Amino acid sequence: MFKLNKSKIVFILLFLFLIIIANFNFLYNRFVYLMYDKSSLKIHSHFLNCQINTVVSEPSNKVYIKTVVKNSNGKVMPGAKVEITIEEGLGEILTLSRTTNKYGELLSVYIPPESHEINPLNPLIVTIKSKIKDTDIYSSLSFKLIPVPVVFVHGYQESSMVFDNMNEFLVSKGFTTLSVDFDSTKGVVFASNELKKFLKEKKSEFLKEGILVNKFTLISHSLGGLVSRYYTSSEDYLEHENVYKMIFLSVPHSGSHIASIGKNYFNDRSIKDLVPDSPLFSTTFSNMINEGLNSSIQVGNIYSQYDEVVTLESAGLDEWNIKTEIFSVEENKFTMDNLLDGSILEAPNHKGILNNKKVFERIHQMLKEKLDYPVDKKKEILRPF
C-alpha cells in the first residue's frame, strides 16, 4: 500500500500551492485586462534580431519579434489578447501564446519561405501585423524579402575575376553576388578556413546594413568545389551551418590525373591535394560528414564536355545520387602534344564553362528551383533489407 510520509505531503501541498498561485496571477491579470478600457491601450512591435529592413528568404533565417502592450500611463499590460498575422507577403508566423505575459510581452517568430518562391527582380514586401483583439489598435513591421546571396569560389591558379561574366549575368537577374579570394596554392584546408572567415564577415557586414542573412549559395569551380565540400563537411561547419546550396562547375571530386603533370610545373600544397591518390581523396573526405558531401545542403553539379582537367568520372557525384549535367563549351582540343608541353593546363574547356551563356542560364534556373539533397549514406547503411 502506498504511504505518504510528512516530507512528501509537504512537497505535494507546496506544489499545489504554487499551481494555485500561478493560476491566480493569470486569472487576476485576465480580470484586470477584461475590465480595462482597451481604447486607451498601446501596442508596439520590435525586431529582436536588431533593426532590419531586409530578410534573405530561406526558412532557417528566422525573424524574432517582440510585441509589448501598455496602458495609457506606460505601464505594461499582462493578460492582453493579441492577434499576430502576416498582412502582406509570404511566410509563416509562430507564437507560443496569444496572451501577453506578466511583462506585457508576447514573442513570435516569422519563418520566411524558400528562396525560389520569390522573384529576384521584384523583391517581396512582408508586413507583420500585431493587433489587440477586439480593438482597432495595432502595430506593424515591414521588411523586404530577397534571394539567398551567391558566393563565387574560384579554382586553382585563379582569382575571383574568373567569375566576372557570370557575376554580371546573375546581377542582371536580381541576385546579390560576392566573391572570395584566397591563395589557391596553399591547399584545400587553408582555402576552407578562408571561406569560413569570409562567410562570417559577410554575414556581419550585411547585418550592419539591416539585412538579415543566415545562409549563402556557393558556386564553385574546379578546386573551389573541393574547398566548398571540405568546409561544409567539417566539424567547424556544424557551428555555422551557413550554406543553402552548392553548385559545382567542373569539379574534380575524385581528383585530377592532370595534377600529376602539373607537379612538373607547380610544386605546392594544392597541386598535391588534386592528385587522385592524395590523402584528401583516400582518407580525409571519407572521414568527414557524410563522406565529404553534406546531406543537409542542396546540390547541383555541372560538367564541361571535353574538359582537359577533369574527367566525367571524377566530376560525378553518383555515390550521393546527384545528377551531373553536361554542357558542350568548346571543341575537343586534347592532343598528345599539348599534354606533353604543358599547354593543356591552359584548359579552354575547363575554364570556358565560366563564360558560357547556356551554363549561365542553367545556373540561374538552379538558383530559382529546389535542388536535390545528397543521399545520407549512414541512413543507407542502416536501412533494413
Side-chain angles (χ1 to χ4, degrees):
M1 185 175 178
F2 182 71
K3 294 182 180 181
L4 292 175
N5 57 35
K6 186 176 180 180
S7 61
K8 288 182 178 178
I9 293 173
V10 171
F11 175 79
I12 292 171
L13 290 176
L14 179 61
F15 180 71
L16 292 173
F17 174 75
L18 292 174
I19 292 176
I20 292 170
I21 290 296
N23 285 325
F24 174 79
N25 287 334
F26 172 78
L27 293 173
Y28 174 76
N29 289 333
R30 288 294 296 141
F31 175 76
V32 172
Y33 173 71
L34 291 171
M35 298 302 294
Y36 202 85
D37 178 12
K38 298 177 185 58
S39 63
S40 64
L41 294 177
K42 307 294 180 183
I43 187 169
H44 301 282
S45 295
H46 310 275
F47 294 118
L48 278 183
N49 307 72
C50 65
Q51 290 303 310
I52 58 176
N53 52 58
T54 304
V55 174
V56 167
S57 188
E58 61 89 11
S60 77
N61 198 31
K62 297 177 176 61
V63 180
Y64 296 91
I65 300 169
K66 180 174 74 174
T67 300
V68 182
V69 178
K70 297 181 179 180
N71 63 23
S72 57
N73 294 322
K75 293 184 178 180
V76 297
M77 201 71 189
K81 286 285 187 180
V82 178
E83 298 172 337
I84 300 181
T85 57
I86 300 176
E87 187 176 38
E88 180 183 7
L90 300 175
E92 183 181 3
I93 281 284
L94 300 178
T95 56
L96 292 177
S97 172
R98 296 289 182 179
T99 305
T100 56
N101 59 22
K102 63 180 180 180
Y103 304 108
E105 300 174 348
L106 186 148
L107 299 180
S108 55
V109 182
Y110 167 76
I111 303 176
E114 295 281 358
S115 191
H116 60 258
E117 296 182 38
I118 65 171
N119 182 355
L121 292 172
N122 186 24
L124 195 65
I125 300 297
V126 174
T127 300
I128 309 295
K129 184 176 181 179
S130 302
K131 177 177 171 291
I132 299 176
K133 190 175 181 181
D134 300 325
T135 74
D136 294 324
I137 304 168
Y138 69 92
S139 174
S140 61
L141 292 171
S142 294
F143 49 86
K144 182 169 63 175
L145 279 184
I146 62 171
V148 174
V150 170
V151 174
F152 296 115
V153 187
H154 65 79
Y156 182 63
Q157 294 289 335
E158 295 292 348
S159 72
S160 60
M161 293 177 63
V162 76
F163 288 103
D164 281 354
N165 290 335
M166 188 182 299
N167 176 70
E168 183 179 351
F169 177 84
L170 293 181
V171 168
S172 73
K173 299 299 182 181
F175 287 90
T176 301
T177 59
L178 308 162
S179 296
V180 58
D181 267 303
F182 51 87
D183 186 339
S184 67
T185 66
K186 292 186 176 181
V188 169
V189 176
F190 169 83
S192 170
N193 287 327
E194 292 296 293
L195 177 60
K196 177 177 67 175
K197 289 188 289 185
F198 179 84
L199 296 181
K200 185 177 179 180
E201 289 170 1
K202 291 305 173 183
K203 183 176 179 178
S204 296
E205 289 176 14
F206 274 119
L207 198 55
K208 289 177 182 178
E209 297 175 7
I211 304 172
L212 190 64
V213 180
N214 190 47
K215 293 186 177 182
F216 300 84
T217 288
L218 305 181
I219 296 181
S220 310
H221 176 243
S222 193
L223 175 77
L226 302 178
V227 173
S228 298
R229 280 182 56 192
Y230 188 94
Y231 168 59
T232 55
S233 299
S234 66
E235 288 188 8
D236 283 350
Y237 181 74
L238 297 177
E239 177 185 352
H240 305 287
E241 292 193 324
N242 51 9
V243 176
Y244 183 58
K245 292 179 180 178
M246 290 191 291
I247 298 175
F248 298 120
L249 304 174
S250 287
V251 173
H253 293 294
S254 301
S256 171
H257 292 287
I258 298 299
S260 300
I261 300 173
K263 287 195 297 184
N264 297 321
Y265 301 89
F266 310 104
N267 183 25
D268 55 58
R269 179 67 264 168
S270 290
I271 203 72
K272 294 174 182 176
D273 282 344
L274 287 167
V275 175
D277 60 356
S278 73
L280 181 70
F281 301 110
S282 61
T283 58
T284 303
F285 274 138
S286 60
N287 290 318
M288 300 182 81
I289 294 173
N290 202 35
E291 297 184 20
L293 192 62
N294 196 317
S295 61
S296 69
I297 300 171
Q298 298 175 52
V299 171
N301 197 36
I302 295 176
Y303 174 71
S304 173
Q305 190 177 30
Y306 307 127
D307 192 297
E308 307 88 350
V309 175
V310 185
T311 64
L312 177 57
E313 181 182 11
S314 179
L317 293 170
D318 295 347
E319 60 183 296
W320 290 278
N321 287 356
I322 297 296
K323 176 185 175 183
T324 301
E325 301 183 29
I326 303 173
F327 284 79
S328 178
V329 176
E330 295 275 353
E331 294 180 359
N332 186 1
K333 298 180 180 180
F334 189 97
T335 66
M336 185 58 66
D337 288 338
N338 60 31
L339 176 64
L340 295 175
D341 65 18
S343 62
I344 191 70
L345 297 175
E346 296 176 8
N349 281 286
H350 184 62
K351 297 177 182 178
I353 198 171
L354 301 176
N355 297 286
N356 184 277
K357 187 176 180 181
K358 288 184 178 180
V359 173
F360 292 175
E361 290 171 347
R362 180 59 187 130
I363 291 173
H364 178 224
Q365 188 62 36
M366 284 180 166
L367 294 175
K368 297 197 304 176
E369 66 185 19
K370 186 173 182 179
L371 302 180
D372 291 333
Y373 289 92
V375 66
D376 189 331
K377 290 194 172 185
K378 287 187 178 180
K379 284 187 178 179
E380 286 294 300
I381 294 171
L382 295 175
R383 185 176 296 168
F385 293 101

